[in-house]
Amino acid sequence: MASSSSSSSSLPQTWRYRVFTSFHGPDVRKTLLSHVRKQFSCNGNSMFDDQWIERSQTIAPALTQAISESRISIVVLSKNYASSSWCLDELVEILKCKESMGQIVMTVFYGVDPSHVRNQTRDFGIAFDEACEGKTEEKMRIWRQALTNVGNIAGEHFLNWDNESMMIEKIARDVSNKLNTRISRDFEDMVGIETHLKKMQSLLHLDDDDEDEAMIVGICGPAAIGKTTIARALHSRFSSSFQLTCFMENIRGSCNSGLDEYGLKMHLQENLLSKILNQCGKHSAIQERLCDLKVLIVLDDVDDLKKLEALADETRWFGPGSRIIVTTEDQEILEQHGISNTYHVDFPTREEARQIFSRFAFRQSYPPYNFGRLVERVTKLCSNLPLGLRVMGSSLRGKKENEWEVILNRLENSLCQDIERVLKVGYDNLHENDQSLFLHIACFFNLEQDDYVMAMLSEGNLGLKTLAYKSLIEISTQGKVVMHKLLQQMGSQVVQRQEPWKRQILIDAHEICDVLETDSGSRSVTGISYDTSTIQDDVYIRAGAFKRMRNLRFLSIYKTRFDRKDRVHVPEDMDFPSRLRLLHWVAYPRKCLPHTFCPEYLVELNMPENELEKLWEGPQPLTNLKKMNLNGSKHLKEFPDLSNATNLEDLYLFMANCLNLQHGPTHCNLPSLKIFKLIGSRNLRKIPDLSTNITTLLVMETMLEEVPDSFRHWSRLRRLYIYSCVPTLEKIPEFIKYLHGLKVLQLRNLRKLASLPELPGSLTRLTVASSVLLETVSFSFDSKIEILCFPNCFKLGREASRVITTIALHACLPGSKIPVEFDHRAIGNSLIIRSDFKRFRICVVISLKEKMEKDFPELLCRIGINDCYAEKLIPEGVQRIETEHMLISSFDLLDKDGWLQQVNEISFEFSATSQNLEIIECGVQILVD
C-alpha cells in the first residue's frame, strides 16, 4: 500500500509529490501515517492512497510515476511488509529513484529488527517466502537485494522507543525538516529570490530564539512584480518552524459576492480554519482556535481592509512566535491596519532582468551571442517587470531571429493579453476620478515631477497618493512620478477601447485628424496626444477646431519618427483653448503664436524645431509657467520676455544657426530657475546672469570663452555640462573646487583644454571627452570619484592615467595594455582565476573595427563559478572612441551556498553586443578591502 503527499501547483512537474510512503497493514496507517498526514495537511497538501488502484501482479503505472515524482520516500517495514509483492515492487522502484535521482529514502522499522529485513529471517523471512511463491529466480533476487539495501539504511526502530507517540512525532519532524531543505530548492533558480528572502527573514525576526508575540508583516509592490512568489518561497522554507501553516491565495477573488460584512467575515474565517486545520465544516472564531498555536499564515493579494480585519484583526488572535504575511498592491491597507513592518518589492536590476528573461527564453542565465541586442530590446520593452519578462521569454523560446523581430514589433504597439489581464485589475478597482488621473499620467505626465503633475491636474495631490498606495505609480526619492512602461501601455489601450462619446483623451491619429478638420470635438475632451508621424496625408486644422473643446487642457502634437515634412497646417486666425496648461507642439509651422493666445494658465510651453520668429509681444501673464523648451528655434529673432515667469524652473534654449538673433537671453535671473540649457547660441560669449539657485547647467555649441566669477556663488549646482564651445574654453576656473554640491562634471570637445584644476570633493562622476590637449588632472589617490571617463584624450599624462586606473571603480581612457595592478591578465577575451574573495575590478582593452556614429555596442562580462553563471553589464559601455581604449569596472559576487568560504575557480569571459568591437586583452584585480 502507498500514499503520497501532494505539493502545491507551483512545484516543478518533475517533483509533483513531496512524500511517497510505502507500508503494509491498516495498523501502520492508523498510527504513524495519520500523524504524517496531519503534518503535511498543515501546509495545504493532501494525501492519497493506492486502495482505488486495481491490484495486479505488477504495480500500477500511476504508482511508478508517483514514486519517481516524489522528493522523499518513507518505507515503513512491518512484519507483514514482505508478504506483499506489491510492496516489494514499490521498494524496488523507490531504490531505483534513490540511485538515479538522489531521492531521499527514510526507513521505519515497525515491530521488526533491521537485521531480519537485511537477511529475510524470522517472521519477516516467513512473510517474504509467501510472496516468493511462484516467482522467478530473477524476481526473487531483485527483491532480496532491495530488502538488503533498505535494511542497511539507518532509520527509526520502534523497539528503541518507550513512547510510540514520541517516535512518531520525531519521524514527522525529521520528514518535515528534510522537506524544508529540499522544498526551498524549487525557488533557488529564481533570479534574486535569495536577496528577497534574506531581507524578509530579517523583517520577520525568524532568527530570534525567544518566542515573542505574533507579528504581522506586509509585502507590497505593483502587480506582477513577484510578491506572491516571495511569499511562497518564505512559506516553503520556514513552514517546518511552525506548528501549523497555511497559504491563502488570491484573497481578492476568493469571496462570494452579495455577502454583508458579517457574512464576509464568517466566510473568510471558515475558509482559513478549514485550510489550516484540514477540517471542513463550521468552526469557531480564529482567536479561539489559534491563540495558543505558533502559526505561519500567508494572506495573498489582499485588496480590502475588511478582509484583512476578518482574517488577522489583532496579533493576539495567534500564539507566541506566529507570523502573518500579507501581500498586497495597496500600501494604504497596510497603513490603515497599523502594519509598520512592510517589505517593498523593487524591480529587478538590468542584469537580473536579462537573467530572468534568458531563463525562460533560452533555459539558461545568459543569451546566445547573436541574441544580445534583441534581449536588450525585450528588457526595455518590459521595463524589467518579472511577469512581462517571463511571458515574453516563453513566447519567444525556440524562435529564430527574424521571428523575434516580427513579434517584438507587434508587442511594442499592443500589450500581450496575459500581461494586460494581470495589470488591469488594479485600474478597474479605482474610483472614476483616479482612473482619469491614471490615464492622464499614462498619456501625458509619466516621469514628470510630482509638483509639476499637481500643477497640471487639480485633483493631483490626493490622487497621486492613491495611485502610489495602490502601486500603480511610484513617487521616486527625487519626487518623480514613475509609471511602469507596461502599465502606461495598458492605459493607452484602455483609452482606445472607450466609447468615443466617453473619451476624455484622444490618442488615435486618424480620429484626431477627423476632429481637427471637421470641428467635431466635444466638451468632454481634456487632452489630445497626436503623433503626426503615423499619418500620410496633410491635415488642415480649422480655425475653430478647438472652440468646442472648451475643457481641453493638454495639447501634445509630436513625431515619434523624425522627418522634415510638415503635414499639419495651421490657419492664421486659429484660436487655442483659453485654459491650456500644456502646449507641446513639435515643428509648429507659423512665425508667431496667434494674437489671441493667452498663456495665463500655461504650465509648460514645449515647442521644439519650430518656425517661430517670436512668440508674443511684450510681457505676458506667465506666473504658472514652470517649463519652457524652444530647442531648435532656428528662425527666432527675439527672445520672449520672461520677466513675469516667476515660477519658471526649467529653461531649454537651442538656438543653432539663429543668425538673426541679436542678443542672448535676458531676464534669466529668476529665483525659481533650477535647470538652464543653452545650445547653439553663436553670439553667446559668456554665461547669462543666473540665480544662485541653479542646480543644472548645460552650455553647448556657443562662443563661450570663460566662466564668469558669479559661478563661484552657485552653491546649489549639482550638474555642469560644457560641450563644444567654438573658440573653445581654455581652462576651468580654480574656484570650481569650492562648489561643494557638484556631483557631475562633463566636458566634451573642448579642444584647447590642457589641464583640470583641483576638483570639489563632492564630485562622483567626471567625463572629459575628446579634449585632445589634456595632459594633467588634479585629484589624489583618496578621491571619492567613482566614475572617470576620458575617451579620446590622447595626451593624458602617465601619472594622471595611473591615478585613474588605480582609484576608479568605473573608467574609460586611452590605452593598449592592461595596468599592472590587474595581476591576473590574458590575451583575448577570457581568463580563469582561483579566489575566495567576492570583490573584483576588471579591465579590458578594446578597439572598434569601424567607426560608429550611433548604436554603440555594450560590453558584457560572463562570470562562471561551480558550473553556475551570471552575466554582468559593464555600466559605462563603449563610447565614441577612435583608437584602443581601456574599460574598467567593478562588482561583487553574491555568496551562494557558501561559495565564498572556500577557494573557487572563477572564469571571466567578455563579449559585446556587436561584432564591430574587438576585445584585445583582459585582466582581473582581486579587491581585498
Side-chain angles (χ1 to χ4, degrees):
M1 186 183 291
S3 75
S4 179
S5 169
S6 174
S7 76
S8 67
S9 60
S10 64
L11 291 174
Q13 186 61 32
T14 53
W15 294 116
R16 186 178 176 191
Y17 304 112
R18 291 187 173 182
V19 176
F20 183 93
T21 309
S22 179
F23 62 93
H24 183 66
D27 291 339
V28 175
R29 173 170 181 78
K30 191 173 182 181
T31 53
L32 172 64
L33 293 181
S34 64
H35 199 94
V36 173
R37 176 179 182 176
K38 180 181 178 182
Q39 181 72 34
F40 297 123
S41 65
C42 294
N43 297 326
N45 302 306
S46 60
M47 297 185 70
F48 75 88
D49 303 332
D50 64 352
Q51 294 172 335
W52 56 271
I53 300 175
E54 184 178 351
R55 299 289 168 140
S56 63
Q57 292 300 312
T58 59
I59 62 174
L63 279 183
T64 302
Q65 183 178 356
I67 294 169
S68 65
E69 293 178 349
S70 295
R71 292 177 171 276
I72 297 176
S73 284
I74 304 175
V75 183
V76 184
L77 295 151
S78 59
K79 289 181 179 180
N80 293 324
Y81 182 90
S83 66
S84 168
S85 60
W86 186 276
C87 287
L88 293 172
D89 285 341
E90 281 180 354
L91 179 63
V92 171
E93 290 298 322
I94 288 169
L95 295 177
K96 282 182 183 177
C97 291
K98 178 180 183 291
E99 184 67 27
S100 62
M101 301 167 58
Q103 187 183 88
I104 295 175
V105 177
M106 299 177 64
T107 56
V108 180
F109 298 96
Y110 198 78
V112 64
D113 191 274
S115 64
H116 300 165
V117 176
R118 284 194 298 270
N119 301 312
Q120 299 93 55
T121 58
R122 303 284 184 93
D123 291 344
F124 191 87
I126 295 171
F128 178 68
D129 290 340
E130 292 176 10
C132 289
E133 289 181 9
K135 301 299 186 293
T136 65
E137 287 294 326
E138 178 62 16
K139 178 68 112 177
M140 290 188 289
R141 185 193 66 78
I142 292 172
W143 284 350
R144 286 194 183 98
Q145 186 63 54
L147 290 170
T148 300
N149 291 342
V150 78
N152 285 320
I153 297 175
E156 292 301 331
H157 193 345
F158 174 73
L159 298 178
N160 293 338
W161 288 81
D162 295 329
N163 187 316
E164 180 179 341
S165 64
M166 291 180 64
M167 181 195 78
I168 293 172
E169 183 112 10
K170 181 180 183 299
I171 293 169
R173 188 168 59 250
D174 288 347
V175 171
S176 194
N177 287 339
K178 290 179 184 295
L179 267 181
N180 186 49
T181 303
R182 304 283 290 187
I183 291 168
S184 63
R185 295 183 184 177
D186 295 332
F187 301 92
E188 68 179 6
D189 285 336
M190 295 182 182
V191 176
I193 192 67
E194 285 300 327
T195 301
H196 291 304
L197 292 184
K198 284 180 180 177
K199 291 177 180 178
M200 280 299 301
Q201 188 171 355
S202 174
L203 200 63
L204 289 163
H205 300 289
L206 291 175
D207 295 328
D208 293 354
D209 295 330
D210 297 334
E211 290 291 306
D212 55 358
E213 67 177 20
M215 177 187 295
I216 304 178
V217 172
I219 300 179
C220 189
I225 200 170
K227 302 181 296 297
T228 300
T229 300
I230 296 169
R232 285 195 184 280
L234 282 166
H235 181 262
S236 173
R237 177 163 296 184
F238 300 112
S239 59
S240 65
S241 301
F242 297 82
Q243 291 173 285
L244 296 175
T245 74
C246 175
F247 193 106
M248 284 193 70
E249 59 188 351
N250 190 25
I251 290 175
R252 180 196 299 269
S254 64
C255 293
N256 299 329
S257 59
L259 293 174
D260 60 14
E261 188 171 338
Y262 180 77
L264 174 67
K265 178 179 179 180
M266 290 298 99
H267 172 79
L268 287 169
Q269 291 200 358
E270 287 178 9
N271 193 7
L272 172 60
L273 290 171
S274 294
K275 279 178 171 287
I276 201 167
L277 299 174
N278 198 39
Q279 297 173 0
C280 298
K282 298 290 184 180
H283 294 281
S284 54
I286 288 176
Q287 58 266 41
E288 295 176 12
R289 299 298 301 269
L290 304 181
C291 63
D292 295 323
L293 294 171
K294 181 183 178 184
V295 298
L296 172 63
I297 298 174
V298 177
L299 306 177
D300 180 50
D301 198 14
V302 177
D303 66 329
D304 190 302
L305 179 62
K306 291 185 177 65
K307 295 179 184 178
L308 181 54
E309 290 174 340
L311 292 167
D313 192 31
E314 299 180 47
T315 55
R316 62 186 179 88
W317 286 10
F318 311 97
S322 293
R323 295 294 183 266
I324 315 301
I325 299 170
V326 182
T327 78
T328 182
E329 295 171 25
D330 193 341
Q331 183 182 343
E332 188 173 23
I333 289 175
L334 302 177
E335 293 183 4
Q336 289 173 337
H337 195 273
I339 300 172
S340 57
N341 290 331
T342 301
Y343 178 55
H344 296 273
V345 185
D346 291 328
F347 286 94
T349 64
R350 190 177 177 185
E351 293 170 7
E352 289 172 337
R354 289 170 62 90
Q355 288 185 47
I356 293 170
F357 174 79
S358 295
R359 289 187 179 182
F360 282 84
F362 311 113
R363 296 189 182 278
Q364 59 189 34
S365 297
Y366 51 89
Y369 180 82
N370 55 330
F371 278 85
R373 179 185 60 83
L374 289 169
V375 169
E376 192 62 29
R377 187 175 165 191
V378 172
T379 55
K380 286 181 180 178
L381 177 62
C382 295
S383 294
N384 296 6
L385 186 70
L387 173 67
L389 295 165
R390 293 196 298 268
V391 171
M392 294 281 284
S394 298
S395 65
L396 292 167
R397 185 189 302 153
K399 291 183 169 55
K400 298 177 182 177
E401 285 184 73
N402 60 338
E403 295 175 303
W404 277 52
E405 294 282 359
V406 173
I407 293 171
L408 289 179
N409 287 339
R410 184 173 70 242
L411 290 174
E412 281 172 346
N413 297 304
S414 178
L415 198 60
C416 169
Q417 286 185 354
D418 289 340
I419 299 173
E420 182 184 10
R421 184 172 57 252
V422 175
L423 297 182
K424 196 168 180 290
V425 172
Y427 169 82
D428 288 338
N429 290 329
L430 291 173
H431 184 275
E432 62 180 353
N433 290 345
D434 296 324
Q435 287 184 340
S436 176
L437 175 61
F438 176 91
L439 296 178
H440 279 87
I441 293 173
C443 295
F444 297 104
F445 305 122
N446 194 17
L447 304 180
E448 297 288 356
Q449 293 297 123
D450 55 355
D451 59 346
Y452 168 85
V453 176
M454 286 187 282
M456 285 289 189
L457 300 160
S458 56
E459 70 275 19
N461 189 16
L462 180 59
L464 287 179
K465 287 184 178 179
T466 300
L467 296 185
Y469 273 137
K470 296 184 181 299
S471 303
L472 293 169
I473 62 170
E474 178 187 357
I475 309 296
S476 73
T477 53
Q478 290 79 32
K480 185 177 288 187
V481 176
V482 181
M483 179 180 288
H484 191 274
K485 185 174 182 179
L486 295 182
L487 280 170
Q488 187 177 16
Q489 197 171 351
M490 183 269 289
S492 296
Q493 291 185 189
V494 168
V495 168
Q496 289 178 308
R497 291 171 184 166
Q498 288 175 332
E499 295 292 336
W501 56 273
K502 278 186 177 181
R503 285 192 192 124
Q504 288 184 302
I505 302 171
L506 305 182
I507 61 174
D508 181 83
H510 298 288
E511 180 186 13
I512 295 169
C513 287
D514 183 61
V515 167
L516 296 181
E517 289 188 320
T518 62
D519 190 11
S520 58
S522 70
R523 294 182 63 178
S524 63
V525 176
T526 60
I528 294 177
S529 179
Y530 184 17
D531 182 2
T532 61
S533 61
T534 62
I535 59 175
Q536 299 296 322
D537 301 325
D538 286 10
V539 178
Y540 294 86
I541 301 178
R542 295 188 63 173
F546 296 112
K547 274 195 172 182
R548 292 186 63 185
M549 294 184 280
R550 57 185 68 178
N551 289 314
L552 186 66
R553 302 286 186 270
F554 318 110
L555 178 61
S556 181
I557 300 176
Y558 58 95
K559 300 178 181 181
T560 53
R561 295 191 303 272
F562 178 77
D563 61 44
R564 297 189 179 278
K565 185 177 180 181
D566 296 325
R567 296 183 177 87
V568 180
H569 302 275
V570 177
E572 185 175 358
D573 58 344
M574 185 189 75
D575 288 327
F576 278 98
S578 60
R579 293 177 175 269
L580 206 60
R581 296 180 186 177
L582 168 65
L583 177 55
H584 174 207
W585 196 317
V586 176
Y588 181 73
R590 300 203 64 84
K591 296 180 180 180
C592 184
L593 291 171
H595 70 280
T596 57
F597 178 75
C598 178
E600 180 180 358
Y601 297 95
L602 207 61
V603 177
E604 178 177 354
L605 178 67
N606 187 352
M607 303 185 74
E609 308 299 332
N610 57 69
E611 298 295 319
L612 290 167
E613 293 182 358
K614 65 178 180 179
L615 270 75
W616 48 63
E617 295 284 353
Q620 293 287 331
L622 299 172
T623 53
N624 287 308
L625 190 65
K626 284 180 171 288
K627 299 173 71 172
M628 186 175 191
N629 178 8
L630 296 178
N631 175 18
S633 302
K634 54 185 178 291
H635 301 292
L636 203 64
K637 293 182 178 180
E638 62 180 76
F639 281 106
D641 187 332
L642 300 177
S643 57
N644 291 330
T646 53
N647 290 302
L648 185 64
E649 296 178 0
D650 191 339
L651 179 58
Y652 188 5
L653 304 174
F654 187 175
M655 309 299 163
N657 303 316
C658 286
L659 301 179
N660 297 319
L661 194 63
Q662 300 300 313
H663 303 286
T666 58
H667 305 298
C668 292
N669 190 359
L670 302 166
S672 59
L673 192 62
K674 297 177 182 177
I675 301 172
F676 183 74
K677 299 178 182 180
L678 184 59
I679 301 175
S681 184
R682 298 293 183 178
N683 293 329
L684 182 72
R685 296 184 180 275
K686 68 175 184 176
I687 297 173
D689 188 21
L690 299 173
S691 164
T692 57
N693 293 327
I694 200 80
T695 61
T696 301
L697 174 65
L698 184 149
V699 180
M700 181 176 177
E701 295 178 359
T702 67
M703 299 290 286
L704 186 67
E705 296 175 342
E706 63 179 1
V707 178
D709 285 346
S710 60
F711 185 76
R712 71 173 71 231
H713 302 300
W714 295 348
S715 59
R716 298 185 181 182
L717 189 66
R718 299 292 180 267
R719 292 167 293 275
L720 175 61
Y721 310 91
I722 302 178
Y723 301 159
S724 305
C725 297
V726 177
T728 306
L729 197 66
E730 295 187 10
K731 65 178 182 177
I732 301 298
E734 294 286 338
F735 54 72
I736 192 173
K737 66 183 177 183
Y738 299 119
L739 298 179
H740 299 302
L742 192 65
K743 299 287 186 182
V744 178
L745 176 61
Q746 290 195 12
L747 309 171
R748 294 182 182 272
N749 298 313
L750 304 184
R751 296 191 172 272
K752 292 185 179 180
L753 187 68
S755 65
L756 285 181
E758 182 181 348
L759 300 170
S762 57
L763 204 64
T764 59
R765 179 171 187 148
L766 173 64
T767 299
V768 185
S770 300
S771 293
V772 293
L773 298 181
L774 184 70
E775 293 186 39
T776 61
V777 181
S778 296
F779 44 68
S780 62
F781 283 98
D782 61 354
S783 172
K784 299 295 189 263
I785 303 178
E786 296 181 355
I787 301 174
L788 291 162
C789 294
F790 293 83
N792 302 323
C793 293
F794 302 117
K795 284 199 171 185
L796 199 63
R798 181 178 298 178
E799 181 60 22
S801 296
R802 190 171 74 88
V803 174
I804 294 168
T805 59
T806 300
I807 71 170
L809 293 178
H810 306 281
C812 173
L813 68 162
S816 58
K817 292 290 182 183
I818 299 292
V820 294
E821 51 264 38
F822 295 87
D823 44 1
H824 302 274
R825 296 186 292 274
I827 303 297
N829 71 328
S830 64
L831 79 165
I832 297 174
I833 69 171
R834 291 185 61 81
S835 173
D836 58 350
F837 288 92
K838 68 174 182 177
R839 300 198 68 217
F840 301 91
R841 280 203 316 159
I842 59 94
C843 180
V844 291
V845 176
I846 60 171
S847 178
L848 289 179
K849 298 175 184 177
E850 297 178 4
K851 188 175 181 180
M852 300 182 71
E853 296 298 330
K854 59 180 181 178
D855 296 330
F856 297 107
E858 292 185 320
L859 196 63
L860 307 170
C861 177
R862 183 184 174 213
I863 305 165
I865 178 170
N866 291 356
D867 295 324
C868 293
Y869 296 88
E871 203 168 63
K872 301 283 187 180
L873 188 68
I874 297 179
E876 290 314 295
V878 181
Q879 303 192 28
R880 191 177 278 106
I881 60 174
E882 297 175 11
T883 62
E884 292 177 347
H885 274 62
M886 292 184 291
L887 286 183
I888 294 172
S889 190
S890 63
F891 48 80
D892 291 358
L893 286 179
L894 292 177
D895 191 2
K896 187 173 183 180
D897 296 334
W899 287 352
L900 305 181
Q901 298 172 19
Q902 57 187 352
V903 174
N904 295 281
E905 192 172 83
I906 307 173
S907 64
F908 297 83
E909 183 180 358
F910 301 92
S911 62
T913 55
S914 169
Q915 296 184 6
N916 192 36
L917 185 141
E918 181 181 5
I919 299 170
I920 300 170
E921 293 184 22
C922 59
V924 173
Q925 177 189 16
I926 300 171
L927 298 178
V928 178
D929 293 332

